[in-house]
Amino acid sequence: MKFDTPATTNPIDQLKVVGQPVDRVDGPLKTTGTAPYAYDRHDVVPNQAYGYVVGSAIAKGRIVSMDLAAAKAAPGVIAIVTAQNAGKLAKGDFNTARLLGGPEIQHYHQAIAVVVAETFEQARAAAHLVRIEYVRAKGKFDLASVKNTAGTAESNGATAETAVGNFAGAYAAAPVQLDATYETANESHSMMEPHATVAAWDGGQLTLWTSNQMIAWAVGDMAKTLGIPKEKIRVLSPYIGGGFGAKLFLRSDAVMAALAARAARRPVKVALQRAFIPNNTVHRSATIQRVRIGATRDGQITAIGHESWSGNLPGGGPEAGAIQTRALYAGANRMTSNRVAVLDLPEANAMRAPNEAPGLAALEIAMDEMAEKLAMDPIEFRIRNDTQVVPDSPAKPASSDPQSKKPEQKEKPNPHPPFSKRQLVQCFQVGAKRFGWDKRKPQPGQVRDGRWLIGMGVASAFRDNLVTKSAARVRLDRHGNVTVETDMTDIGTGSYTIIAQTAAEMMGVPLNKVKVRLGDSSFPVSCGSGGQWGGNSSTSGVYAACMKLREAVAQKAGFNAGDAVFADGQVRSGDRSIPLAGAAGDRGLVAEDLIEFGDLDKRFQQSTFGAHFVEVGVDAATGETRVRRMLAVCAAGRILNPKTARSQVIGAMTMGVGAALMEELAVDTRYGFFVNHDLAGYEVPVHADIPHQEVIFLDETDPISSPMKAKGVAELGICGVAAAVANAIYNATGVRVRDYPITLDKLLERLPPVT
Ligand code: MOS
């Protein structure tokens, strides 16, 4: 099905099942510990051996020698695979090129060997007996010191630089100006489930039980890496304990397991140990961002500029912090740039709303600072600069970007396309009322509650709504049961549930008559889970397949598909009605289809919007910040399931608190690695850090987005949160911190005197 005209009324609009806050259909499996995660797959193949990955102890240089003798002689050892004996591997593109290193070393903890043994303990013990000599080369590990070498680069299909009007001139002429630089930290995804794979070869056929957000990419990248046809590889990833972007691409667990299983001639399972993950796999790059805003005295933005610098290994893209500044606020003169400098730290790549999350962390403090200079309420300042069309220049079509396989940005025929739907102003209005914004004191440091300094902050939330093709197969059996199969993944987001709701709505059956099977490369290729495109695009694919199945059912029943009504397990036409089970016949009916998106995303800018409200208390003596209240108001199209969507948004808000107050990978700039590479040293919020969170979804449908009239919503929830926290801290204390995370040491000496 091609979606190229805005949706009109369709079966989803009944909202008997879709739009209802139903419980997760996979909930009982999760809460009883019976959902089979990758490393739990003891049952799928017999005789599994254990692989333990050895990582490089240097960040850059060469392996001079590897002495495997002691490790090979250790108890239980079956095989040791290194670059020397692994056989020929493809060089690969940016995502796969470094999954097995040696003799050249490209980053710290790069995988250089996997030791296979009968037990995990034997593999681990033997791994520590591998003797390696290195020659260390000088590397670049400090973003600030290489910032000026940064070239421009493209990421996620967006051009690196844009310019409209005369930014420099308009900024210089503006009566009110802000020029400030912000820093965000290197961050680690820190999903609960580590990267893990069970690999088994059957002749030339490879099966991987793994944990991966994008099944088809995993198959393709593995095929390329090993130099075998895609048809020879099956990837299964039905349950995933969080990904946050870290599992968008193939990682070393999968490649090392496949190589180890080939060498050991039996199935091998590999899990990356927690303390190995931050340096071995991927992280979000730190950024340095300069924001300049010029405005008239009554708060009209006349010039807005945003430059962002980040680091990555050669060939990698930037953390494009300036992206949302092209679309969020009006202003006739503008410039943005996203530059990336080469660093020899581990790979930087997509994490939890890449680009917008750190970008808004900077921009939305700048908006708060500017509002203060203008003596305007920060909400009023944002509303005054609302725009219903994209104010920036059109993005040039991007060259194919090896780092990001996200959908290509298509050339926009209209240089300033209208937003398909934009309710940013309404989000602020609803939120201000609900949160009690009128009680905020504009002057900082005015509100005390015992030892706590109290403040409120806001920020805009903005994240693009990407749509991408997605296929599904739907089966109706003679009992009237519906089974959906698609290689879509559920990374903890609720895919199983909203897909079941979609099929139930379309076929007119109750939810318990629908079975959803996901995460298997033998199913039709879906959009996968990433960039908040998964919910809308995958259910649209299921919608398309169900439309075909409805036609097949109608035909079988002798009805005209156009006026057949599917409800209560029956298909009805006029006054004739038959049970679905009957229409299916003994052999059942199967339909498969693909949703493909036309050019509506070129003619309209499709984005999601929100407003974040935060109240904090800062300990007047110690500078400790505690978040006291949070509210997110989201305008993100139709909400397919308010319960799962709320869970997505409160999870994202929690991540925003992490970015604001805690999360930072500390770089050892001498030796080039992340020092705090485990969950003891890398802090994320826990329950005790998170207060009452409230989420309001504006009643919205977006027929331009898809037949579901939905949009992405998950990543919207993180975008802007960090700045809302920072702005609340400023309102509480009068201390403006421009580098994240806002730990108490950055506040302590600047707090008002304790009275
Ligand atoms: Mo998301 S960071 O694209 O998984």
Side-chain angles (χ1 to χ4, degrees):
M1 171 184 292
K2 182 128 189 188
F3 182 77
D4 51 11
T5 51
T8 52
T9 302
N10 67 42
I12 296 296
D13 294 320
Q14 300 172 98
L15 299 181
K16 287 184 193 159
V17 196
V18 170
Q20 302 301 319
V22 303
D23 289 348
R24 295 169 62 122
V25 297
D26 53 334
L29 287 177
K30 300 282 178 73
T31 51
T32 55
T34 47
Y37 290 89
Y39 207 65
D40 302 335
R41 306 304 287 263
H42 313 289
D43 54 320
V44 286
V45 269
N47 203 26
Q48 297 179 14
Y50 291 79
Y52 193 93
V53 179
V54 178
S56 167
I58 64 167
K60 191 174 163 74
R62 266 184 86 79
I63 297 172
V64 181
S65 69
M66 264 179 128
D67 179 356
L68 305 178
K72 274 186 177 157
V77 171
I78 301 161
I80 302 178
V81 180
T82 69
Q84 292 258 301
N85 65 13
K88 202 171 133 51
L89 294 186
K91 271 247 180 304
D93 53 26
F94 181 77
N95 304 295
T96 53
R98 295 169 308 279
L99 297 179
L100 173 59
E104 299 299 326
I105 296 298
Q106 288 137 316
H107 66 86
Y108 184 78
H109 272 176
Q110 183 174 22
I112 51 175
V114 57
V115 178
V116 189
E118 295 293 340
T119 70
F120 172 78
E121 289 77 10
Q122 289 172 332
R124 180 178 58 186
H128 289 109
L129 299 175
V130 176
R131 292 277 159 264
I132 307 159
E133 274 183 70
Y134 305 91
V135 185
R136 200 188 293 275
K138 217 171 133 51
K140 299 190 185 84
F141 307 119
D142 179 32
L143 176 60
S145 69
V146 299
K147 171 176 169 264
N148 292 334
T149 68
T152 59
E154 296 181 345
S155 170
N156 301 345
T159 47
E161 302 204 330
T162 60
V164 171
N166 172 6
F167 170 76
Y171 180 75
V176 186
Q177 299 170 327
L178 174 86
D179 180 351
T181 298
Y182 306 87
E183 293 183 34
T184 62
N186 289 292
E187 294 170 352
S188 182
H189 301 72
S190 306
M191 66 283 151
M192 188 79 88
E193 182 204 21
H195 304 265
T197 301
V198 177
W201 290 88
D202 181 3
Q205 185 75 36
L206 173 65
T207 306
L208 299 164
W209 292 268
T210 190
S211 185
N212 189 291
Q213 299 173 220
M214 302 293 298
I215 301 292
W217 294 359
V219 171
D221 283 342
M222 187 58 98
K224 246 195 277 175
T225 302
L226 298 177
I228 62 175
K230 283 199 270 193
E231 295 67 36
K232 295 278 183 200
I233 299 174
R234 182 167 172 204
V235 169
L236 298 102
S237 184
Y239 296 98
I240 299 166
F244 307 160
K247 296 171 183 168
L248 282 168
F249 302 106
L250 206 60
R251 294 290 161 199
S252 64
D253 59 304
V255 171
M256 300 308 263
L259 296 174
R262 193 160 70 181
R265 297 178 178 282
R266 58 192 266 197
V268 172
K269 66 200 305 182
V270 171
L272 303 184
Q273 60 273 28
R274 180 65 65 182
F276 191 59
I277 290 173
N279 285 289
N280 174 255
T281 60
V282 59
H283 68 286
R284 190 210 297 277
S285 172
T287 67
I288 299 169
Q289 301 181 52
R290 182 186 188 193
V291 180
R292 280 173 288 175
I293 305 173
T296 60
R297 291 202 189 283
D298 65 354
Q300 205 65 52
I301 293 174
T302 53
I304 185 162
H306 193 157
E307 296 158 276
S308 176
W309 293 267
S310 60
N312 211 336
L313 285 160
E319 184 70 36
I323 271 192
Q324 72 290 317
T325 306
R326 297 172 189 165
L328 195 46
Y329 301 117
N333 304 285
R334 14 195 351 120
M335 65 85 73
T336 66
S337 85
N338 296 298
R339 294 197 172 87
V340 63
V342 170
L343 284 177
D344 299 300
L345 291 171
E347 172 186 337
N349 214 323
M351 168 174 155
R352 311 186 199 156
N355 310 326
E356 282 101 328
L360 286 162
L363 177 66
E364 291 299 286
I365 298 184
M367 289 297 286
D368 201 66
E369 296 200 53
M370 193 63 183
E372 188 183 30
K373 280 177 185 268
L374 292 159
M376 269 182 93
D377 181 275
I379 292 179
E380 179 53 33
F381 179 47
R382 287 174 174 87
I383 290 174
R384 188 158 304 181
N385 290 286
D386 188 48
T387 171
Q388 292 294 320
V389 299
V390 175
D392 214 318
S393 59
K396 275 179 283 168
S399 62
S400 73
D401 177 350
Q403 181 194 14
S404 167
K405 300 180 184 183
K406 291 187 178 179
E408 267 175 55
Q409 182 102 10
K410 297 159 199 159
E411 192 159 15
K412 299 206 192 292
N414 177 353
H416 300 290
F419 290 94
S420 62
K421 202 129 249 180
R422 173 173 165 130
Q423 297 203 70
L424 178 66
V425 169
Q426 290 81 349
C427 289
F428 276 111
Q429 288 166 341
V430 168
K433 219 173 187 171
R434 179 78 192 173
F435 202 70
W437 183 252
D438 57 344
K439 299 195 182 59
R440 171 185 177 268
K441 301 266 183 286
Q443 181 79 15
Q446 301 300 300
V447 184
R448 282 292 282 261
D449 175 9
R451 65 184 227 251
W452 300 99
L453 300 162
I454 310 298
M456 291 188 208
V458 287
S460 295
F462 172 93
R463 176 85 173 149
D464 269 340
N465 173 60
L466 299 169
V467 286
T468 183
K469 67 182 176 189
S470 195
R473 183 160 57 221
V474 202
R475 212 181 290 277
L476 175 68
D477 73 12
R478 62 197 172 91
H479 306 294
N481 295 312
V482 176
T483 303
V484 184
E485 292 174 338
T486 165
D487 85 353
M488 179 60 186
T489 48
D490 188 325
I491 60 175
T493 38
S495 310
Y496 279 105
T497 311
I498 57 174
I499 285 172
Q501 289 175 273
T502 303
E505 193 79 75
M506 292 298 292
M507 301 314 298
V509 298
L511 206 54
N512 63 13
K513 295 289 267 183
V514 181
K515 186 170 170 50
V516 178
R517 304 178 67 202
L518 302 180
D520 183 335
S521 61
S522 66
F523 299 154
V525 175
S526 74
C527 57
S529 297
Q532 81 167 9
W533 65 65
N536 182 39
S537 294
S538 71
T539 52
S540 295
V542 173
Y543 171 94
C546 286
M547 283 306 259
K548 269 210 171 154
L549 183 59
R550 287 164 62 111
E551 280 166 34
V553 170
Q555 197 185 14
K556 209 61 187 296
F559 296 159
N560 181 344
D563 50 49
V565 176
F566 291 74
D568 309 317
Q570 307 271 320
V571 54
R572 196 177 67 232
S573 182
D575 51 9
R576 269 190 63 216
S577 175
I578 63 164
L580 271 188
D586 275 351
R587 305 187 50 196
L589 290 169
V590 184
E592 183 175 332
D593 202 10
L594 168 79
I595 187 92
E596 285 180 285
F597 294 89
D599 69 349
L600 284 172
D601 63 339
K602 288 187 273 174
R603 286 156 48 202
F604 296 89
Q605 176 68 30
Q606 297 185 15
S607 304
T608 61
F609 297 89
H612 285 293
F613 292 76
V614 173
E615 182 182 285
V616 300
V618 179
D619 190 305
T622 69
E624 179 196 9
T625 298
R626 305 294 302 180
V627 175
R628 291 161 69 107
R629 287 195 296 144
M630 302 181 83
L631 165 67
V633 184
C634 303
R638 171 175 283 155
I639 299 302
L640 301 176
N641 179 331
K643 185 176 284 184
T644 54
R646 176 180 180 276
S647 290
Q648 286 293 284
V649 174
I650 64 173
M653 290 157 79
T654 304
M655 294 171 183
V657 172
L661 299 177
M662 299 170 200
E663 294 190 51
E664 176 173 31
L665 286 167
V667 183
D668 184 318
T669 54
R670 302 160 306 166
Y671 296 111
F673 68 101
F674 299 125
V675 181
N676 51 339
H677 48 71
D678 59 32
L679 290 176
Y682 183 85
E683 287 187 53
V684 297
V686 298
H687 279 284
D689 297 310
I690 300 299
H692 181 68
Q693 293 174 316
E694 193 177 358
V695 182
I696 296 172
F697 295 111
L698 294 193
D699 193 9
E700 179 177 299
T701 51
D702 192 338
I704 290 169
S705 172
S706 78
M708 303 301 293
K709 305 174 187 170
K711 284 177 172 176
V713 70
E715 291 179 324
L716 179 68
I718 188 173
C719 293
V721 173
V725 173
N727 295 338
I729 291 172
Y730 176 75
N731 183 243
T733 62
V735 182
R736 189 65 84 176
V737 179
R738 299 187 183 85
D739 64 312
Y740 294 97
I742 308 175
T743 45
L744 53 83
D745 52 296
K746 295 171 186 171
L747 295 168
L748 202 51
E749 294 190 346
R750 297 159 66 193
L751 289 175
V754 180
T755 48

